[in-house]
Amino acid sequence: MTLTVTRTLKLQQNLFSTRTLSLSLLKSLSSISRERKPEDQDRREFAEEAKTHNSNLLLVHENREILTMDLDDYTIIKEGEAEILMHNKNKVFFNKAQVHNRDLSIAVLRTFISKRKEEHEARLSRRTKPVKKASEKDASGSSKPAADNEKSNGECEEKVSEKDALGSAAEEVTNERAEDNEKLNGECEVPEEITEDRPCSLTEEQMMTTERKSQGVLEPPRVLEALSASGLRALRYAREVEGIGQVVALDNDKDSVEACRRNIKFNGSIAISKVESHLADARVYMLTHPKEFDVVDLDPYGSPSIFLDSAVQSVADGGLLMCTATDMAVLCGGNGEVCYSKYGSYPLRGKYCHEMALRILLASIESHANRYKRYIVPVLSVQIDFYVRVFVRIYTSASAMKNTPLKLSYVYQCIGCDSFHLQPIGRTISKNNSVRYLPGFGPAVPQECSDCGKKFNMGGPIWSAPIHDQEWVSSILGGVKCMKDRYPAYDHISAVLTSVSEELPDVPLFLSLHNLCATLKCTSPQAVIFRSAVINAGYRISGKNSSRESSST
C-alpha cells in the first residue's frame, strides 16, 4: 500500500514538473522575444532544452501557433541560414548535392535584385527629365510653335517610334512604363502615344506627387518555386536574400506540402511572413498567374520540358527564369530521339556534349517563349556535376523576337575527327534603314570532311549566341567573394564562376586538345605552351573547366 501511494505521488510530481517545465519554457520564450534575441538562437535553445528533458518538441512562434511533434522522429538539417526538419522515414525528397545549385541561385538572385533596382532608377530618371523641362518652360512663359510637335501649354507628350521597339531595352522600358502608369491611381497617366487633342496638364505639386509615387512603384520581387519538396530552397531565399518579396512554394504531393509548412513554422517569423506553401500542379498554377512573378525557379527531378511553356508565361517582363535539367543522358546524346521529342533538338555525342546540352535547353526555352511574342536573354549558364542550370531574363517584343533565327544554328560534326561547323538558321540584310530577315545560306560543309575525308553527323538546332552576360558574371562573382561566409559551397561556385568569366563569349562549343593530338597521332603538348603558341599566332583562346579548350580566330 505504501509503495502504491509513493508511486502515485511520484507520478503526480513528474506531471507537475512537466507542466512547470512547459510554463517555464513558454515564459522564457516570451522573455527572449521581448529581448529581441536572434531567431536562430531562440529556436536552437528551445529545441536543446526540450531534447534534454525527453519531452515533445513544442514550436512556439510570435503568432502564438503551437506545433507538437516527437523530436526523435526528425533530424534537423541546416544549410545556410535555414533549417528544416527531415523525417527519419524520408518521405520527402531532399538532395544534399544540390547545395551548389542553391548557393548559385542565391548569388544570381541577389545580383538580379540590384540590377533590377538600377534599371528602375534609370527608367525613372529618363521619364522625369522631360516632365521637369516642360514645367520649367511653363514657369518661364516660353513656348514653341505648334508645328514643332513638342510640349507646350502644360501638355505632356511621349512618343515611341517603331525603330525604338527593335531594341530589347526599349521594349522593356515601354512595357514597365505602361505598368507603372497604371498604378498612379488618379494622377496624370503618360501613355505611350498621346495626340494633341488629349492634353495632360500638370501643376508643380502634381508632378512632385507623381514623382514620389513613381519612385515607390518598384515592389520587392515575387519568387515562385514551382517544385518545392521540403521547401529548403524557398526558405533560404526568404532568409538570406535581402530585399526579396513573397516566396510561393508549390508541390503536387501532400506529404511535401505538409513538410514545407512545418519547416516554414520551424524557421520563425521571417519565413512565416514571406513564404507560403500551396498544394497545386505547377503547370496549372503558372498558367493561371501570367506575368505575376519576377523570378520563377524550376528545379525538377529530370527534364523541365513539361514546365517550360507555362513558366515562360508566368515570368513578368524583365523577370528571371532559373531552370535546371538533370536528364543529362538524354541531352548529351544517349537517346537522341527522346531529346528531340522533349526539347526539339537532336544532340551529338562529342567532347562538348555538356555545353551542347546547355545550348539545347536555351533553344527550347526560346522556342516556348517565341510562341507568346517573348524572347530570352541568358545571363549565366553552367554545367555542374550531374545537371545543367541556366538563368535567363524574359522580355516581350514582337519585333525583337524576329532575331531568334540569328541565334540558332545547326551543327555538323565529323565522325572521324573533332572538326565541326555551325550553320545559322537565319540571316539579315540591311538596306535603306530597313532590315530584311532571310533564311541562312547552306550547305555549310561538303559531303566529306576536308581534314580526314569522313562524313558529318548533323545535330541541333542549338543556341549559338552567347550563353553568359559577362557583366552579370562579374557582378555575381564579386558578390560571392564579398559574402563567402554565407555560401556553404563557396569554393565550388567561385571556381565555376571564375572559369565562366574567362570564357570567350562569342565562341560556341570547343575543341579538345587531347583529341586533336590523338587524331594527328602526336604527343600532347603542355596546355600553357599550346595557349602561348595560339595567342602568338594571332588567335584567341580560353579554358573550359580546366580540361577543355575553346579557341577562335
Side-chain angles (χ1 to χ4, degrees):
M1 185 72 177
T2 307
L3 291 174
T4 305
V5 173
T6 305
R7 288 176 180 175
T8 305
L9 290 174
K10 286 183 178 180
L11 288 173
Q12 291 178 351
Q13 289 176 357
N14 290 337
L15 180 62
F16 179 75
S17 61
T18 303
R19 291 177 179 174
T20 306
L21 172 63
S22 301
L23 291 174
S24 63
L25 288 174
L26 290 173
K27 289 180 181 179
S28 62
L29 280 177
S30 61
S31 63
I32 288 173
S33 62
R34 285 195 299 270
E35 294 173 4
R36 299 184 180 274
K37 274 192 175 183
E39 211 171 301
D40 290 339
Q41 183 180 355
D42 178 5
R43 187 172 63 255
R44 205 173 292 112
E45 289 177 356
F46 189 85
E48 290 176 358
E49 191 168 356
K51 205 172 185 179
T52 55
H53 287 84
N54 239 348
S55 61
N56 287 342
L57 179 62
L58 294 176
L59 303 181
V60 185
H61 302 284
E62 294 179 3
N63 63 349
R64 305 289 183 183
E65 186 173 359
I66 300 178
L67 181 65
T68 308
M69 65 187 72
D70 189 359
L71 184 64
D72 296 333
D73 294 339
Y74 294 90
T75 302
I76 299 177
I77 298 177
K78 180 176 176 60
E79 183 179 294
E81 296 182 13
E83 294 181 357
I84 61 172
L85 295 169
M86 183 58 61
H87 200 278
N88 294 336
K89 294 182 180 179
N90 199 19
K91 295 181 180 180
V92 180
F93 179 74
F94 168 71
N95 195 342
K96 183 179 179 181
Q98 288 282 45
V99 60
H100 308 124
N101 189 322
R102 291 184 282 267
D103 274 5
L104 190 61
S105 301
I106 290 173
V108 175
L109 192 53
R110 284 173 173 151
T111 303
F112 170 73
I113 292 176
S114 62
K115 295 281 187 182
R116 181 171 173 262
K117 185 177 179 181
E118 292 175 3
E119 292 170 359
H120 178 69
E121 292 174 352
R123 239 180 353 261
L124 285 179
S125 62
R126 287 195 297 267
R127 188 175 60 186
T128 55
K129 280 180 182 179
V131 179
K132 290 181 179 179
K133 289 180 180 179
S135 62
E136 291 175 0
K137 292 176 182 178
D138 292 339
S140 61
S142 61
S143 62
K144 288 188 177 182
D148 291 341
N149 279 332
E150 295 185 355
K151 301 173 186 177
S152 62
N153 298 326
E155 295 181 358
C156 59
E157 183 175 344
E158 181 175 343
K159 297 180 180 180
V160 179
S161 64
E162 293 183 357
K163 293 180 182 179
D164 293 335
L166 290 176
S168 59
E171 269 309 318
E172 180 191 359
V173 171
T174 303
N175 292 327
E176 296 196 18
R177 181 183 299 155
E179 293 177 3
D180 294 348
N181 292 329
E182 291 177 359
K183 297 179 182 179
L184 294 182
N185 298 327
E187 297 296 333
C188 174
E189 298 184 355
V190 186
E192 292 184 359
E193 292 185 357
I194 299 179
T195 55
E196 293 184 358
D197 58 347
R198 294 177 62 191
C200 176
S201 300
L202 290 176
T203 63
E204 186 175 354
E205 183 179 358
Q206 286 176 333
M207 284 188 294
M208 294 299 294
T209 304
T210 302
E211 185 176 352
R212 285 196 299 268
K213 287 188 177 182
S214 62
Q215 289 177 354
V217 165
L218 186 64
E219 299 178 355
R222 297 188 66 204
V223 180
L224 173 65
E225 187 190 0
L227 306 160
S228 61
S230 63
L232 176 60
R233 186 186 298 264
L235 291 170
R236 289 196 64 186
Y237 287 165
R239 292 181 60 86
E240 298 182 32
V241 181
E242 297 79 5
I244 200 171
Q246 198 72 15
V247 182
V248 179
L250 302 179
D251 208 291
N252 205 20
D253 179 65
K254 291 184 179 179
D255 292 335
S256 298
V257 173
E258 290 176 3
C260 184
R261 291 174 179 173
R262 179 170 60 244
N263 292 328
I264 290 172
K265 295 172 184 176
F266 185 67
N267 279 267
S269 59
I270 296 178
I272 293 173
S273 62
K274 288 189 175 183
V275 185
E276 58 185 53
S277 178
H278 298 287
L279 177 64
D281 189 326
R283 294 169 293 181
V284 177
Y285 191 91
M286 289 187 289
L287 284 174
T288 54
H289 295 76
K291 296 185 179 181
E292 287 193 14
F293 294 96
D294 301 288
V295 180
V296 173
D297 193 333
L298 290 177
D299 188 14
Y301 186 77
S303 172
S305 59
I306 60 175
F307 302 101
L308 294 179
D309 193 81
S310 51
V312 296
Q313 299 180 65
S314 184
V315 182
D317 285 330
L320 184 68
L321 174 61
M322 305 187 286
C323 182
T324 303
T326 61
D327 55 337
M328 295 300 291
V330 172
L331 286 167
C332 292
N335 300 96
E337 64 281 2
V338 177
C339 182
Y340 189 83
S341 65
K342 289 184 176 181
Y343 299 98
S345 182
Y346 209 96
L348 296 174
R349 301 192 66 176
K351 281 292 183 179
Y352 50 68
C353 60
H354 295 110
E355 183 180 338
M356 191 172 188
L358 281 170
R359 295 183 180 274
I360 288 175
L361 180 57
L362 290 173
S364 180
I365 299 174
E366 174 79 353
S367 174
H368 286 283
N370 287 167
R371 298 165 195 174
Y372 307 100
K373 298 182 180 180
R374 314 193 83 184
Y375 67 99
I376 67 171
V377 177
V379 296
L380 178 65
S381 307
V382 295
Q383 183 268 322
I384 302 176
D385 299 334
F386 56 90
Y387 61 89
V388 290
R389 178 79 161 166
V390 297
F391 303 85
V392 300
R393 300 190 71 178
I394 297 181
Y395 300 95
T396 303
S397 172
S399 57
M401 185 188 65
K402 297 178 182 178
N403 293 321
T404 295
L406 308 177
K407 306 172 187 175
L408 303 177
S409 299
Y410 287 99
V411 183
Y412 291 92
Q413 173 66 58
C414 177
I415 62 175
C417 61
D418 268 4
S419 300
F420 65 87
H421 302 268
L422 273 70
Q423 178 176 317
I425 293 179
R427 60 189 174 92
T428 58
I429 295 179
S430 299
K431 185 178 181 181
N432 297 331
N433 296 328
S434 64
V435 179
R436 291 185 60 194
Y437 293 88
L438 301 172
F441 286 125
V445 295
Q447 284 288 331
E448 296 179 352
C449 177
S450 58
D451 297 321
C452 66
K454 299 294 182 64
K455 294 188 178 298
F456 289 91
N457 284 333
M458 188 179 75
I462 66 170
W463 180 273
S464 54
I467 61 176
H468 314 295
D469 186 323
Q470 293 299 326
E471 184 181 351
W472 273 71
V473 174
S474 300
S475 300
I476 296 169
L477 182 59
V480 168
K481 289 182 177 179
C482 291
M483 307 173 67
K484 60 182 179 180
D485 296 335
R486 300 181 64 179
Y487 293 99
Y490 166 76
D491 293 335
H492 196 145
I493 65 172
S494 62
V496 170
L497 291 171
T498 302
S499 177
V500 168
S501 65
E502 296 173 353
E503 289 183 10
L504 296 176
D506 55 345
V507 181
L509 308 181
F510 58 87
L511 297 172
S512 171
L513 178 59
H514 294 288
N515 279 25
L516 288 175
C517 294
T519 301
L520 297 174
K521 298 180 180 180
C522 66
T523 304
S524 177
Q526 296 182 5
V528 177
I529 298 176
F530 182 77
R531 289 189 185 187
S532 300
V534 171
I535 293 174
N536 289 333
Y539 295 86
R540 294 181 300 151
I541 188 171
S542 69
K544 181 77 173 177
N545 289 350
S546 74
S547 63
R548 294 177 284 174
E549 302 296 331
S550 173
S551 60
S552 171
T553 55

